[in-house]
Amino acid sequence: MNELYNKAESFITQYYREKKLPDSARNKRLNEIKQSILSSHTYEHTYDELDFGAKVAWRNSNRCIGRLFWNSLNVFDAREASSADDIRQSLFNHIDYATNDGKIRSTVTLFKPRRADGSDPVRIYNHQLIRYAGYRQKDGSVIGDPHSVELTDFCEKLGWKGEGTSYDVLPIVIQVEGEPPVYFDIPSHLIKEVSIIHPESDAFNELGLRWYAVPIISEMKLEIGGIEYVAAPFNGWYMETEIAARNFADEERYHQLPKVAEAFGLSTLYQSSMWKDRAIVELCTAVMYSFKKEGVSIVDHHTASQQFAMFEDREKGEGREVTGDWTWLIPPVSPASTPIFHRQYENTWKSPNFFYQPSMLDTAVKSGCPFFQSIKK
Ligand code: ARG
């Protein structure tokens, strides 16, 4: 049999083993899959296989510190969605369910997978379903999130126009095979955002920082048993350093450290005064404080590291080896104060898993997507 069958076999075997289901049932299922691959070069997962596969993909995500909760992932099967309208509805439903008014639920929505001939029924252009626009100015500076400049340009070429603030939520851009990409705005009542305020500094509050509640990665592919779910947006909840020490702090992102230092009256004359470090800690404090105050799920990096250590123990108890990418697992703030820093991890990638894939945006922008060319003004 072929490569796809081999991948299916190893996934199905894992599924029946972990679920403690009888070998006879497994053999029957494998036979079914073999017949399907012989006649149509592909096979379809049952809902239970999908549910298990997506959870294990999370468990296998080497870069994720939040894996303790892999088994509580909510898996939505949207393989029936075929029109742009259906897909939009499923995405709104995901955002609404995952947000849960702040009590964030880890969720993945699976759309139709890649076909046997390699074509994709559905693709999403966005890096995350909710993300702020970045508007490149004539002088080269950016208003908003510099990470979003390309997608923002693309949306504008499709006809979208944002307000031009630092925190405009981008529309979602999707493409159904055989059709041009389309965009739609997310109704604002579905988007939960948090004003970032500091418990002790009014000057900090003047910065007017804000961030959205739910990070929903939407450009990665979920591979289960050789089937590639090329549109499979998934979310957890934030760890405070992601927002505080990266999104707000990176010079290539919102670049707020000098402003935060100023708000706290820290001199930025000598870097040896540790003004950057102190500003980062104040940002972390403010992000934690604000999310908690608004009742939005968030975890600090110390607790997340402890939870990861617990995940390692549990996996060991189950006789499974935890793989990991140390460079990603350690938090960007005080890494050596967490247990992860002092351990080593094997960085091999198990399947099922989430993988990067060529982004639709790059393909459209760089190779000149014909649809894009035709609607370009
Ligand atoms: N680091 C990304 C961001 O700041 C989000 C990645 C996923 N994070 C998560 N906690 N599930 O937007």
Side-chain angles (χ1 to χ4, degrees):
M1 267 311 260
N2 62 11
E3 199 185 322
L4 175 58
Y5 181 76
N6 293 338
K7 289 179 179 169
E9 185 180 34
S10 92
F11 168 66
I12 295 295
T13 302
Q14 181 182 15
Y15 171 81
Y16 280 81
R17 192 186 338 107
E18 285 195 33
K19 296 273 183 188
K20 299 190 168 61
L21 294 165
D23 279 359
S24 55
R26 184 202 61 176
N27 294 340
K28 185 164 167 270
R29 176 65 177 136
L30 280 177
N31 210 31
E32 204 174 271
I33 290 174
K34 191 177 282 180
Q35 294 315 315
S36 171
I37 295 178
L38 280 172
S39 61
S40 65
H41 306 285
T42 186
Y43 72 100
E44 264 177 44
H45 289 128
T46 64
Y47 177 77
D48 288 344
E49 289 164 0
L50 213 58
D51 181 74
F52 173 78
K55 286 172 171 161
V56 175
W58 184 6
R59 190 175 83 200
N60 288 338
S61 292
N62 286 6
R63 295 176 163 182
C64 177
I65 193 176
R67 288 183 270 166
L68 177 62
F69 304 101
W70 68 271
N71 206 14
S72 63
L73 180 66
N74 294 280
V75 182
F76 288 165
D77 180 1
R79 287 177 295 179
E80 287 302 305
S82 31
S83 66
D85 235 31
D86 297 343
I87 293 154
R88 187 183 54 168
Q89 265 322 312
S90 301
L91 293 173
F92 289 173
N93 185 51
H94 181 135
I95 294 170
D96 194 32
Y97 182 87
T99 307
N100 193 26
D101 202 27
K103 304 227 161 326
I104 298 175
R105 293 185 277 217
S106 301
T107 305
V108 62
T109 299
L110 300 174
F111 292 97
K112 285 188 203 306
R114 177 162 291 165
R115 295 199 195 85
D117 65 6
S119 61
D120 293 338
V122 185
R123 286 295 301 265
I124 301 171
Y125 280 64
N126 308 61
H127 159 69
Q128 293 181 28
L129 294 184
I130 299 171
R131 194 71 160 171
Y132 298 124
Y135 306 97
R136 173 85 61 202
Q137 307 297 294
K138 287 208 177 69
D139 67 359
S141 66
V142 174
I143 293 180
D145 193 342
H147 182 260
S148 301
V149 164
E150 277 88 24
L151 183 59
T152 305
D153 276 355
F154 189 73
C155 289
E156 285 177 338
K157 278 171 185 142
L158 290 178
W160 178 81
K161 187 143 178 37
E163 284 183 28
T165 77
S166 295
Y167 302 99
D168 292 353
V169 173
L170 282 164
I172 297 177
V173 184
I174 61 165
Q175 185 156 16
V176 174
E177 202 196 10
E179 294 174 20
V182 291
Y183 70 88
F184 45 84
D185 281 309
I186 305 167
S188 55
H189 72 272
L190 293 182
I191 306 172
K192 186 135 187 116
E193 292 182 273
V194 178
S195 296
I196 308 300
I197 55 173
H198 193 283
E200 287 136 27
S201 165
D202 289 340
F204 177 97
N205 302 346
E206 300 285 302
L207 298 177
L209 303 182
R210 55 195 287 126
W211 205 256
Y212 53 87
V214 193
I216 314 171
I217 302 287
S218 48
E219 65 186 355
M220 292 176 84
K221 142 178 113 179
L222 169 54
E223 186 268 322
I224 302 173
I227 302 293
E228 299 170 283
Y229 294 91
V230 290
F234 63 92
N235 74 277
W237 48 83
Y238 266 116
M239 178 162 86
E240 106 288 12
T241 55
E242 299 184 85
I243 304 169
R246 301 299 312 280
N247 303 345
F248 286 152
D250 281 7
E251 292 186 9
E252 310 287 290
R253 299 290 301 286
Y254 279 82
H255 191 30
Q256 293 292 308
L257 295 185
K259 290 193 180 135
V260 172
E262 196 188 325
F264 282 90
L266 304 171
S267 161
T268 58
L269 203 52
Y270 303 105
Q271 38 185 12
S272 56
S273 71
M274 310 295 160
W275 66 267
K276 284 189 184 173
D277 311 72
R278 295 174 72 165
I280 288 171
V281 172
E282 297 303 352
L283 272 166
C284 287
T285 307
V287 168
M288 273 318 289
Y289 173 78
S290 310
F291 270 62
K292 289 215 159 161
K293 188 163 169 291
E294 298 283 317
V296 176
S297 309
I298 190 155
V299 67
D300 67 86
H301 55 291
H302 300 292
T303 305
S305 303
Q306 267 172 6
Q307 290 169 345
F308 189 75
M310 201 179 295
F311 167 68
E312 290 184 65
D313 288 346
R314 280 200 199 163
E315 287 302 291
K316 206 165 174 194
E318 294 292 332
R320 293 189 290 257
E321 194 212 349
V322 170
T323 55
D325 182 341
W326 187 92
T327 64
W328 274 63
L329 287 173
I330 54 163
V333 180
S334 310
S337 69
T338 70
I340 302 172
F341 187 86
H342 306 279
R343 298 183 185 176
Q344 282 172 16
Y345 301 89
E346 189 68 55
N347 191 15
T348 47
W349 287 58
K350 294 189 211 166
S351 169
N353 219 320
F354 290 95
F355 293 94
Y356 289 120
Q357 60 183 340
S359 103
M360 288 302 283
L361 192 58
D362 284 356
T363 319
V365 173
K366 291 183 187 130
S367 73
C369 152
F371 290 122
F372 177 50
Q373 295 299 338
S374 66
I375 43 185
K376 201 155 127 188
K377 293 189 189 98

